[in-house]
Amino acid sequence: MIQATEKIWHNGKLIDWNDARVHVLCHALHYGSSVFEGIRCYETPAGPAIFRAREHVRRFFDSARLYRMDDFGFTPEEFIDAMRELVAANGLNACYLRPIAFRGYGDLHVLPFNCPIEVYIACWPWGKYLGAESLEKGVDVCVSSWARMAPNTLPAMAKAAANYMNSQLILMEAVQNGYAEAVALDPAGFVSEGSGENIFLVRDGVIYTPPLGASVLPGITRDTILQLAAAAGCTVVEQNIPREALYIADELFFSGTAAEICPIRSVDRIPIGSGQRGPVTKRLQEEFTSIIQSGGGRHPEWLTFV
Ligand code: PMP
């Protein structure tokens, strides 16, 4: 459940949490016309810090641009300041931030240009997405019977609400069949991603992840891992991954803002590697945590202090 906070940012102003409402004839509700972000603000020794704010805001503007909604009237820098202002106003040390831009109330024509664009940012405390134990013990997943969107249909590079209808099909099926998550394939049958996470595979010390052409969201955590792994001297390869490579991997893990770095311990009830969190996954988790705990460490540019 969402834990209410005091304020929500709307088109440049802080408003009360309970006043952030939309009309039932809002365009986005009918046609999925919204783009959003998911960002974490971490508690650090130097105070609350938003993780990779610039990259998230860039993706937000990119998603909006793809849907011709990026005429916001404010810059990415102003948007980052808005997030800082909001976290401070709500007095939170750590939270999840949810910026959203959508086509509002005005017209119900499929052509959306007569609807106002509304921009909101909310934030609230949020724990571990795939369960408190998941980061150590790992999660059990299946391969989804649903594929990700085909190229040239709904753009996977946009973090758009409509894409999450596909994610919901993937996640509902998985959870109802007793799994924590699913791995979806792309339309060609190669590994794509989870319903809300990118995926990584380790075999013989080499780290693999699907390329952006495999209908994946360009994850900020995915990019973080690519950079941390390369700096640690690991070979990292972005390439198409056949489904069967999942079952014979030494290690598998998900990456995402909500899920963080989460080991996968089985796929379709087949244990992965030893069935426990592997050494590469553990090391990357430790590197990730140390960046936050050291208030930035080797990557001060990744933290934006509130
Ligand atoms: N794929 C999908 C479909 C997602 O929803 C997310 C979460 N935003 C990710 C991947 C991971 O992206 P990030 O690391 O930027 O949170």
Side-chain angles (χ1 to χ4, degrees):
M1 291 294 280
I2 298 173
Q3 194 180 322
T5 57
E6 232 168 272
K7 296 289 179 192
I8 286 183
W9 185 94
H10 176 219
N11 292 346
K13 289 201 185 75
L14 292 179
I15 61 171
D16 286 341
W17 178 277
N18 287 325
D19 292 339
R21 298 179 182 281
V22 293
H23 194 276
V24 73
L25 294 180
C26 161
H27 196 270
L29 203 50
H30 296 255
Y31 306 126
S33 33
S34 85
V35 297
F36 66 97
E37 266 307 315
I39 307 174
R40 273 193 196 262
C41 174
Y42 286 100
E43 186 171 358
T44 84
I50 304 172
F51 187 68
R52 304 204 68 180
R54 257 173 252 102
E55 292 80 0
H56 279 285
V57 168
R58 182 173 188 207
R59 188 173 65 187
F60 185 62
F61 276 66
D62 285 348
S63 300
R65 187 170 177 82
L66 281 164
Y67 285 101
R68 300 166 197 242
M69 290 167 62
D70 59 329
D71 192 10
F72 293 145
F74 44 78
T75 63
E77 291 71 32
E78 287 166 339
F79 202 71
I80 291 171
D81 285 343
M83 295 198 295
R84 295 170 58 217
E85 183 192 0
L86 178 70
V87 174
N90 283 323
L92 297 168
N93 291 325
C95 62
Y96 183 80
L97 285 132
R98 169 55 58 89
I100 184 165
F102 60 89
R103 305 274 190 186
Y105 172 86
D107 196 353
L108 267 191
H109 203 290
V110 170
L111 186 74
F113 295 138
N114 287 331
C115 295
I117 292 166
E118 309 278 358
V119 188
Y120 286 85
I121 312 171
C123 68
W124 64 92
W126 206 9
K128 301 300 172 202
Y129 181 65
L130 292 170
E133 285 199 330
S134 62
L135 296 189
E136 204 184 314
K137 297 240 155 70
V139 290
D140 301 306
V141 310
C142 57
V143 171
S144 185
S145 72
W146 293 100
R148 294 284 295 161
M149 301 81 69
N152 214 22
T153 61
L154 289 168
M157 285 182 73
K159 193 166 172 65
N163 295 359
Y164 288 81
M165 292 302 272
N166 173 260
S167 288
Q168 287 177 56
L169 290 171
I170 292 165
L171 190 55
M172 287 189 294
E173 180 191 61
V175 169
Q176 292 203 317
N177 288 331
Y179 300 96
E181 239 297 15
V183 178
L185 306 178
D186 72 10
F190 292 108
V191 173
S192 176
E193 61 179 351
S195 68
E197 307 85 13
N198 294 111
I199 189 169
F200 286 80
L201 181 157
V202 183
R203 181 151 159 129
D204 293 336
V206 179
I207 303 177
Y208 301 88
T209 197
L212 295 186
S215 300
V216 303
L217 183 79
I220 309 297
T221 321
R222 175 184 182 275
D223 178 72
T224 302
I225 289 163
L226 291 175
Q227 291 197 45
L228 291 178
C234 298
T235 309
V236 222
V237 191
E238 292 178 65
Q239 64 158 61
N240 281 327
I241 298 175
R243 171 179 181 165
E244 60 272 27
L246 295 173
Y247 306 110
I248 55 174
D250 297 331
E251 300 178 35
L252 290 178
F253 61 89
F254 282 131
S255 74
T257 297
E260 298 176 306
I261 299 174
C262 180
I264 297 172
R265 66 180 173 196
S266 73
V267 179
D268 295 330
R269 305 283 176 223
I270 299 171
I272 299 308
S274 62
Q276 318 251 320
R277 172 175 62 180
V280 176
T281 310
K282 184 161 184 271
R283 175 154 182 212
L284 287 165
Q285 285 179 323
E286 285 165 358
E287 296 256 346
F288 185 80
T289 310
S290 85
I291 300 261
I292 291 148
Q293 284 176 352
S294 64
R298 273 180 289 115
H299 288 280
E301 75 286 5
W302 285 357
L303 296 183
T304 298
F305 289 93
V306 169

